[in-house]
Every structure is written in structure tokens, then in C-alpha cells.
Amino acid sequence: ELRGAVVADVTANTAWVDVPVFHDGGRNHRRLRAALRRLPKGVALETQRVKSADTTRVLRVGDELDRVYVRRPMPESGRLEVGLEPVDAAALGAER
């Protein structure tokens, strides 16, 4: 779980969010860009031309997200894939 994420960019099918990352026991603060690709039902990106009838939230640049959840760390590139809902390891394995 990561808190304080902000939508930094929105492309055709991905929202890029900046999440706070702390180093050295919390003294050094920086933001990490993470990909938000899998959206829960009812959430759409502002760039999607067609939104479903049940859309209740549209993500736009500058939107603050209370929390996001790590879906897939990518240590070789230093990136993360995050989601808006918690997910367990079994569900992640079934997606691949």
C-alpha cells in the first residue's frame, strides 16, 4: 500500500502516478513514477473516448489518490505497476 499518489500523466490506456518514496529512514524523499493500467469497474481515464455507462470516476492529471497498491514491482527498471484495489498473489498469478 502506498499513500499520497498523484496522477502525473494520462495516456490512451495508462495513468502514470507519482508515489512518494523515502530513503535513509525517511529523511530523503523523492517521487517514483508508477503505471496504473488495470482500473476497477466504474473508473475510467480522461483520455478514453468511450466510457462505460457505470463510470463513476474519471482520472485526470493532478488527481490525488488516497492510496494505491503495488501489483508488480519491476526492480530491473526501477518501476512499479500499481492498482486502485488490493490484490492477492493468487489473483496476480492468474492474470499472467
Side-chain angles (χ1 to χ4, degrees):
E1 176 180 302
L2 302 168
R3 296 175 184 246
V6 177
V7 178
D9 191 20
V10 180
T11 62
N13 56 8
T14 303
W16 293 94
V17 297
D18 285 344
V19 293
V21 178
F22 297 93
H23 295 281
D24 300 330
R27 291 179 300 207
N28 294 327
H29 175 262
R30 70 180 194 124
R31 296 192 80 78
L32 175 71
R33 184 80 33 110
L36 174 58
R37 292 190 177 101
R38 293 184 186 266
L39 300 174
K41 197 171 192 145
V43 179
L45 301 175
E46 69 177 332
T47 53
Q48 292 174 317
R49 292 181 185 258
V50 178
K51 297 170 180 58
S52 68
D54 66 346
T55 298
T56 57
R57 182 175 184 188
V58 177
L59 294 180
R60 295 177 172 81
V61 172
D63 283 356
E64 295 180 7
L65 306 172
D66 292 333
R67 61 182 56 115
V68 294
Y69 300 90
V70 175
R71 294 182 58 81
R72 188 172 55 140
M74 297 175 267
E76 59 281 345
S77 66
R79 292 192 177 214
L80 294 173
E81 183 177 332
V82 297
L84 294 177
E85 298 176 327
V87 64
D88 62 24
L92 285 175
E95 288 178 2
R96 295 194 173 118

